[in-house]
Amino acid sequence: MTENCSTGTLDKGKTGSSGTQDRNKKTYNPGNPDKETLLRMNRSHASLRGFALPFIDWVPEMRILDVGCGGGATIAEMLELSENSRIDGVDYSPVSVACSEETNRKYLGGRVRICLGNVIDLPFEDEVYDLVTTVESTYFWPDMDKGFSEIFRVLKKGGTAAVINEGSDPDAHPNWPNPDIRIMIYRPEELTAFMKKAGFENIRVNHGDGDVIMVRGDKIE
């Protein structure tokens, strides 16, 4: 399988239509944000990362994948949590790929690679990663079963997948953040069911403030 990864050479001018989005217009799409929004998310999701990442068992030299890497702040924090780790980020938005590269420029071509790709067809070989994280991305996945199956495929045996979301109660967010954009908010039991179907075991849920959650599952076999 070919890995469509960037090592710092992405043409920053080729940003696609999302680079000109106006967040005040109804066309604003948080699933395909512009650079300004990505940088804001890097800051605003700090408390979410602060809640979730301490639950993970960090060891040196982990191989990690961040699905829907957005602006790259999660990758930057995980580099500090696992010494000598190597982390790949993947996102379907060229704007996000460029922003994540910029956030992690110091490590590009060494400990960090940023790839253009989709969760339902990840551009990686089987059983590569010790940990796969995804922060605030499941709302936009086109196919939950395929997404979790792909994550299961690229995990090593004994590896862990962690889903980290600010929203887990759709009734609490009827118009979040824009009623004209399709956003699917999944309850913990729904995410658990998707992960079980994909083959994950030892699934556990951690709850934060409000309806913040992290759902983790392990690849045993």
Side-chain angles (χ1 to χ4, degrees):
M1 182 177 294
T2 302
E3 298 180 0
N4 181 17
C5 293
S6 173
T7 58
T9 59
L10 185 72
D11 184 348
K12 302 304 188 292
K14 297 179 180 178
T15 57
S17 60
S18 62
T20 59
Q21 287 174 335
D22 182 342
R23 61 181 297 182
N24 295 317
K25 297 179 180 179
K26 286 188 176 181
T27 54
Y28 164 66
N29 184 351
N32 195 16
D34 58 19
K35 182 177 179 180
E36 178 185 357
T37 302
L38 288 165
L39 294 175
R40 177 178 57 80
M41 288 177 174
N42 277 352
R43 298 187 299 270
S44 66
H45 292 162
S47 61
L48 179 62
R49 297 189 301 269
F51 150 72
L53 295 181
F55 286 107
I56 294 172
D57 296 324
W58 298 102
V59 296
E61 300 182 353
M62 296 175 76
R63 287 289 283 118
I64 302 169
L65 172 64
D66 188 37
V67 173
C69 59
T74 302
I75 293 173
E77 291 193 15
M78 292 192 296
L79 287 167
E80 300 296 324
L81 293 168
S82 175
E83 184 180 4
N84 296 323
S85 56
R86 290 189 295 139
I87 304 179
D88 294 337
V90 63
D91 203 292
Y92 61 39
S93 163
V95 181
S96 294
V97 169
C99 189
S100 191
E101 281 188 320
E102 185 174 322
T103 299
N104 296 285
R105 184 166 300 280
K106 177 180 177 181
Y107 297 102
L108 281 181
R111 292 179 62 192
V112 172
R113 296 183 307 168
I114 308 298
C115 306
L116 189 67
N118 196 301
V119 66
I120 64 173
D121 187 19
L122 291 172
F124 308 105
E125 301 292 340
D126 298 351
E127 298 188 1
V128 173
Y129 299 102
D130 303 295
L131 172 68
V132 177
T133 57
T134 185
V135 179
E136 292 282 272
S137 80
T138 57
Y139 315 127
F140 313 105
W141 289 9
D143 188 314
M144 295 293 283
D145 288 332
K146 286 184 180 179
F148 279 116
S149 292
E150 278 290 277
I151 289 173
F152 188 84
R153 177 182 65 79
V154 301
L155 271 173
K156 299 176 183 177
K157 292 179 181 178
T160 298
V163 178
I164 303 165
N165 285 342
E166 282 186 325
S168 60
D169 180 5
D171 295 334
H173 308 282
N175 295 317
W176 180 50
N178 184 331
D180 298 319
I181 301 298
R182 179 185 178 274
I183 294 179
M184 295 296 296
I185 298 174
Y186 296 97
R187 300 180 189 277
E189 56 269 27
E190 293 176 306
L191 292 170
T192 297
F194 285 125
M195 294 183 80
K196 283 184 177 178
K197 185 176 180 181
F200 288 95
E201 301 180 47
N202 190 29
I203 299 171
R204 55 271 196 207
V205 179
N206 299 103
H207 293 271
D209 293 338
D211 56 337
V212 166
I213 58 166
M214 178 166 69
V215 183
R216 287 174 292 160
D218 299 329
K219 180 176 180 177
I220 304 301
E221 298 293 339

